[in-house]
Amino acid sequence: DTGVSQNPRHKITKRGQNVTFRCDPISEHNRLYWYRQTLGQGPEFLTYFQNEAQLEKSRLLSDRFSAERPKGSFSTLEIQRTEQGDSAMYLCASSLATGSSGNTIYFGEGSWLTVV
Amino acid sequence: AQKITQTQPGMFVQEKEAVTLDCTYDTSDQSYGLFWYKQPSSGEMIFLIYQGSYDEQNATEGRYSLNFQKARKSANLVISASQLGDSAMYFCAMRRPSGGYNKLIFGAGTRLAVHP
């Protein structure tokens, strides 16, 4: 399978615990994105990387959230001291960087987080 | 503000019939891209079709076509010959040049139910 891969697919955690999600993008894609989607809403942009550099972060990304892409390949999204409001699906996506509006962004299957 | 509006929370269609899902957008950019994604219950966002703001012809991809009316700022998705497997959430999204086309802005989505 050469698509965007995310794991774990589902995570239930107690409030206050830390969680980490991993994303493996399409191999030749140098851009990697994280989005968050809550029930009944469309995805919202969180952050993106070009290679290993994190170039933009949304105001939605509080200090408890950290994303890394250490070697420009896979990425991790860590949420520290989880809160019930963090319950959502976290979607990873990747694309090529060509400065064109038509460059398709491909998404993974998402990681569902439930904070109890 | 840049915005995507999908006014139909839910749509029903009979199998083999055509259906139109509405999308309007708001932007002051001259160059932008419009996308439609399908999200089945599994969670994955599946790319369906793309329309660039400078494209003179409406985009088509198999049973999917995009009715692009630039002056009205609308980009409706038309699904011909609906199939049971088309039942899913459908999201319209826009990509803007700000920051190098690095993120998508999504609408709230339309849930499509195809009946046999």
Side-chain angles (χ1 to χ4, degrees):
Chain A
D1 184 13
T2 57
V4 179
S5 175
Q6 293 186 245
N7 65 81
R9 292 292 320 281
H10 301 273
K11 180 73 176 179
I12 300 174
T13 191
K14 291 184 178 179
R15 189 176 54 181
Q17 298 294 306
N18 298 345
V19 296
T20 299
F21 300 110
R22 175 178 168 127
C23 171
D24 288 273
I26 294 172
S27 59
E28 64 268 27
H29 286 180
N30 49 5
R31 282 197 178 166
L32 185 147
Y33 313 80
W34 286 99
Y35 284 75
R36 182 172 71 185
Q37 185 178 19
T38 53
L39 282 176
Q41 301 296 320
E44 296 175 291
F45 171 82
L46 291 179
T47 188
Y48 96 98
F49 293 83
Q50 182 148 323
N51 300 313
E52 65 276 8
Q54 187 174 19
L55 297 186
E56 186 173 348
K57 293 195 290 186
S58 161
R59 283 172 288 182
L60 293 174
L61 215 63
S62 77
D63 291 345
R64 297 183 297 103
F65 288 71
S66 63
E68 294 182 345
R69 194 183 184 196
K71 297 182 180 179
S73 55
F74 73 92
S75 175
T76 57
L77 176 68
E78 181 183 19
I79 309 173
Q80 296 181 325
R81 304 181 304 282
T82 52
E83 301 173 355
Q84 287 187 322
D86 297 332
S87 295
M89 182 163 67
Y90 292 86
L91 286 158
C92 179
S94 70
S95 75
L96 292 169
T98 64
S100 163
S101 73
N103 226 8
T104 302
I105 297 179
Y106 294 94
F107 285 82
E109 292 183 308
S111 293
W112 292 92
L113 173 64
T114 302
V115 181
V116 297
Chain B
Q2 321 299 326
K3 189 177 176 182
I4 294 285
T5 302
Q6 295 181 252
T7 57
Q8 307 154 313
M11 289 286 285
F12 296 91
V13 66
Q14 200 80 19
E15 193 179 8
K16 299 179 184 177
E17 297 291 314
V19 63
T20 298
L21 306 183
D22 294 341
C23 172
T24 58
Y25 58 93
D26 184 17
T27 182
S28 55
D29 296 316
Q30 294 301 308
S31 175
Y32 51 88
L34 297 160
F35 297 80
W36 278 91
Y37 285 85
K38 171 184 177 181
Q39 188 176 44
S41 55
S42 62
E44 182 182 6
M45 297 287 285
I46 301 168
F47 165 73
L48 295 178
I49 196 166
Y50 159 78
Q51 179 85 41
S53 59
Y54 293 119
D55 294 341
E56 294 185 351
Q57 293 197 340
N58 288 341
T60 60
E61 290 284 350
R63 294 187 299 112
Y64 305 107
S65 60
L66 200 153
N67 183 2
F68 181 46
Q69 297 187 44
K70 192 170 182 177
R72 297 180 59 185
K73 292 188 175 178
S74 75
N76 299 339
L77 177 70
V78 180
I79 306 174
S80 63
S82 299
Q83 302 173 355
L84 296 178
D86 294 335
S87 294
M89 284 290 291
Y90 288 80
F91 291 95
C92 180
M94 177 171 61
R95 195 172 187 185
R96 301 170 52 234
S98 172
Y101 299 102
N102 60 37
K103 58 187 168 187
L104 291 167
I105 302 166
F106 284 86
T110 296
R111 181 170 297 281
L112 176 66
V114 180
H115 291 259

